[in-house]
Amino acid sequence: MKIVIAGAGSVGFHLAELLTKENQDIILIDTDEDVLLHASTHLDVLTIKGDIASVGILKNANVENASLFIAVTTSETTNLLSAILAKQLGAKTTIARVDNPEYLTKEQKGKFLNLGVDQLISPQLLAAQEIERLLRRSSFTDVFEFEDGKIAIVGFTIDNSSSIIGKSMDQMDKLIPDFDFRGIAILRNHRTLIPKGNTIIRQGDHLYIAAQKHCVDKVSIFAGKQLKPVKKLMIIGDTPLAFRTAQLLEKKYRISLFVKDKKRAKFFIESLNKTLVSVADYGNIELLQEEGLQEMDAFIALTKNSETNIITNLMAEELGVYKTIAAVDNTIYTHISQNIGIDTMINKKLIAANNIFRFVRKGTIKAIASLHGVDAELIEFEILRSNRLTSHPIRDLHLPEKSIIAGVVRGEESFIPNGEFQLQLKDKIIVFAQPEAIHKVEEIFK
């Protein structure tokens, strides 16, 4: 597949990195020679220096033969214009990164579709929605919902108060009557394991479980962390993500938002309805304590500085704040969150790149997600025609060893299937697969 990526920044680079692992034919365009040099040094891609909104540059990139054109620069105007031009030149599918929430309404999406932009992606909105899901299921470090939450994948750390330390997965299965779940992964000492029935749970393990929507809250019993609803939360940061998050959450939560810049504070005050906005040095923990940090149910650090976000989260944890979330830019940080005491780290650029990534995968893929720090992917497939998948039970499908079916959605019903379960036409299947198993899984569901 020929793919043209316009913009070699964090989103574009990570996307190119994911795609080169799939042996895709990638062309990367940017005006910055340094970022192109970095990309060409680290990735197997062809780079072109130039303005992505230039017809000449797009023709030079042979965009007319591109299966996919992705515009992810920091300028949404440039992204939209280049996507429209790429479509007119012959690109099959176009995707543009935007930040303006007005563009993401159904009506506006329809207008852009008519102009030639097939998909709009907003890193700010996707990250804000991720934060909303995490607050809704506040005892978990990760929450991934499929088919409107009919199947949820949740992650949590096994702390010293958990009742399942020293128990096997089979023993866990008997702890709660009438509760179907599947343990799909354990992150242990930076290694990813797919647990079997005799796998013993250890303190410090990070466990991922698949469950039906109505059973998700029962999973909290395993974590050892008392289930507590979040009502009051503190956000620090004057970034677009901080604003978008407050805008999304202020109808449901009591929010105190602290910003450094007075001009940004004025914009926040004028644009937000229920959020209490204050100007303060959010690096000053004592000041945040005076403002009631220790009384908050959740603390969300969304400043421009990853280290500030991490340190303030650790201090909030130390003060007993129930839920902590930190935004980070460096992907390395997302792999260590469970080991340093922060509930969750999010990277809006990784979230956006993973969201775009599903457009290029093989098979009838509906969605894709990556678990923080876990060397594997969650992929949702849909069965569109009757074949061997619908004529044999799951145990006879010969799935790769390093993969597991986490759940199945059939219409309005959801299932945590065993080996005897048989798939049907139009079923949606959520599969957890490690890198070495992904290609075979895709071939099976192709």
Side-chain angles (χ1 to χ4, degrees):
M1 182 185 288
K2 183 181 180 64
I3 301 169
V4 178
I5 302 175
S10 299
V11 177
F13 182 87
H14 180 66
L15 195 54
E17 187 177 34
L18 290 173
L19 294 171
T20 52
K21 293 176 182 178
E22 301 292 308
N23 296 315
Q24 307 289 356
D25 181 12
I26 310 298
I27 295 176
L28 200 54
I29 308 173
D30 204 289
T31 55
D32 190 326
E33 195 167 347
D34 290 336
V35 297
L36 290 176
L37 179 62
H38 176 74
S40 62
T41 303
H42 293 82
L43 304 173
D44 182 18
V45 296
L46 175 66
T47 61
I48 296 175
K49 182 185 177 184
D51 182 359
I52 65 165
S54 162
V55 173
I57 292 295
L58 293 176
K59 285 184 176 179
N60 191 24
N62 199 18
V63 76
E64 63 269 21
N65 293 319
S67 299
L68 186 61
F69 176 84
I70 309 166
V72 286
T73 75
T74 54
S75 169
E76 64 184 357
T77 305
T78 303
N79 294 337
L80 291 166
L81 177 57
S82 63
I84 292 167
L85 291 173
K87 190 73 168 186
Q88 290 178 350
L89 289 169
K92 288 186 177 66
T93 302
T94 60
I95 300 172
R97 170 186 175 177
V98 297
D99 289 320
N100 189 337
E102 291 180 4
Y103 291 160
L104 300 169
T105 63
K106 188 175 181 180
E107 181 184 357
Q108 292 298 325
K109 281 184 176 181
K111 290 179 180 179
F112 283 117
L113 182 61
N114 291 334
L115 290 170
V117 185
D118 296 307
Q119 294 287 336
L120 296 174
I121 297 291
S122 169
Q124 315 293 355
L125 178 59
L126 290 170
Q129 289 171 338
E130 174 98 342
I131 291 169
E132 182 184 35
R133 281 192 294 271
L134 290 165
L135 291 176
R136 203 174 345 120
R137 305 291 189 185
S138 55
S139 58
F140 305 126
T141 61
D142 307 78
V143 179
F144 299 91
E145 295 180 341
F146 294 87
E147 296 300 313
D148 297 321
K150 291 184 179 68
I151 292 287
I153 311 296
V154 297
F156 54 92
T157 301
I158 307 298
D159 64 24
N160 57 11
S161 62
S162 175
S163 62
I164 61 174
I165 294 173
K167 290 185 168 57
S168 69
M169 296 299 298
D170 282 341
Q171 288 173 317
M172 277 180 61
D173 199 21
K174 299 172 184 175
L175 286 178
I176 308 176
D178 304 319
F179 173 36
D180 285 333
F181 73 91
R182 171 149 299 142
I184 63 168
I186 294 175
L187 185 60
R188 178 181 292 168
N189 298 325
H190 302 290
R191 288 183 60 237
T192 301
L193 311 172
I194 293 181
K196 301 183 183 302
N198 60 358
T199 300
I200 303 298
I201 303 300
R202 302 177 187 173
Q203 181 180 335
D205 280 353
H206 200 74
L207 179 61
Y208 290 90
I209 280 179
Q212 295 162 297
K213 184 176 184 177
H214 62 277
C215 293
V216 169
D217 287 337
K218 293 182 181 178
V219 181
S220 303
I221 296 169
F222 296 147
K225 192 173 183 178
Q226 184 181 2
L227 185 63
K228 179 180 178 180
V230 171
K231 296 179 180 178
K232 298 185 297 180
L233 60 93
M234 181 180 289
I235 299 174
I236 63 169
D238 47 22
T239 59
L241 177 57
F243 173 77
R244 194 73 180 94
T245 301
Q247 191 179 48
L248 187 67
L249 300 179
E250 66 178 357
K251 291 180 181 178
K252 299 179 183 177
Y253 304 96
R254 289 166 54 193
I255 301 175
S256 296
L257 173 61
F258 292 89
V259 300
K260 272 187 177 180
D261 186 85
K262 289 183 179 180
K263 288 184 180 178
R264 290 292 289 168
K266 183 180 179 183
F267 168 76
F268 279 35
I269 291 168
E270 291 174 349
S271 305
L272 297 170
N273 297 317
K274 296 184 177 181
T275 299
L276 177 62
V277 180
S278 304
V279 179
D281 177 7
Y282 35 65
N284 187 336
I285 297 298
E286 290 183 0
L287 177 60
L288 295 181
Q289 282 183 262
E290 291 174 7
E291 296 293 341
L293 172 59
Q294 63 272 26
E295 298 166 7
M296 296 292 163
D297 301 316
F299 177 78
I300 308 171
L302 305 175
T303 77
K304 296 175 183 176
N305 188 289
S306 299
E307 289 74 19
T308 297
N309 295 339
I310 291 170
I311 291 167
T312 52
N313 263 252
L314 290 172
M315 293 303 298
E317 286 272 355
E318 187 72 20
L319 291 169
V321 177
Y322 179 70
K323 182 71 182 177
T324 58
I325 301 172
V328 296
D329 282 329
N330 193 326
T331 56
I332 295 172
Y333 289 142
T334 61
H335 296 289
I336 64 171
S337 60
Q338 287 92 23
N339 296 319
I340 65 173
I342 295 175
D343 276 340
T344 307
M345 293 187 193
I346 63 165
N347 184 315
K348 67 178 185 294
K349 294 163 185 175
L350 289 186
I351 294 169
N354 288 333
N355 190 280
I356 296 169
F357 194 36
R358 74 183 192 273
F359 290 97
V360 299
R361 299 307 296 264
K362 299 175 185 175
T364 49
I365 290 179
K366 297 281 291 178
I368 188 167
S370 296
L371 305 177
H372 298 141
V374 174
D375 190 23
E377 290 176 358
L378 283 164
I379 311 172
E380 181 184 350
F381 298 93
E382 183 176 10
I383 298 179
L384 297 178
R385 63 179 184 272
S386 297
N387 52 28
R388 66 181 298 273
L389 290 171
T390 58
S391 56
H392 297 280
I394 285 175
R395 60 177 163 74
D396 293 335
L397 296 182
H398 304 296
L399 287 167
E401 183 180 347
K402 294 197 173 183
S403 67
I404 186 171
I405 293 180
V408 175
V409 176
R410 180 176 295 161
E412 293 301 312
E413 293 185 282
S414 60
F415 305 89
I416 304 297
N418 58 24
E420 302 300 318
F421 189 90
Q422 194 155 326
L423 301 173
Q424 295 181 9
L425 192 65
K426 295 187 178 180
D427 277 357
K428 297 177 179 69
I429 304 98
I430 297 97
V431 180
F432 177 84
Q434 292 184 263
E436 53 266 52
I438 288 174
H439 286 295
K440 189 170 181 183
V441 168
E442 288 178 336
E443 289 300 321
I444 290 172
F445 288 95
K446 191 174 180 180

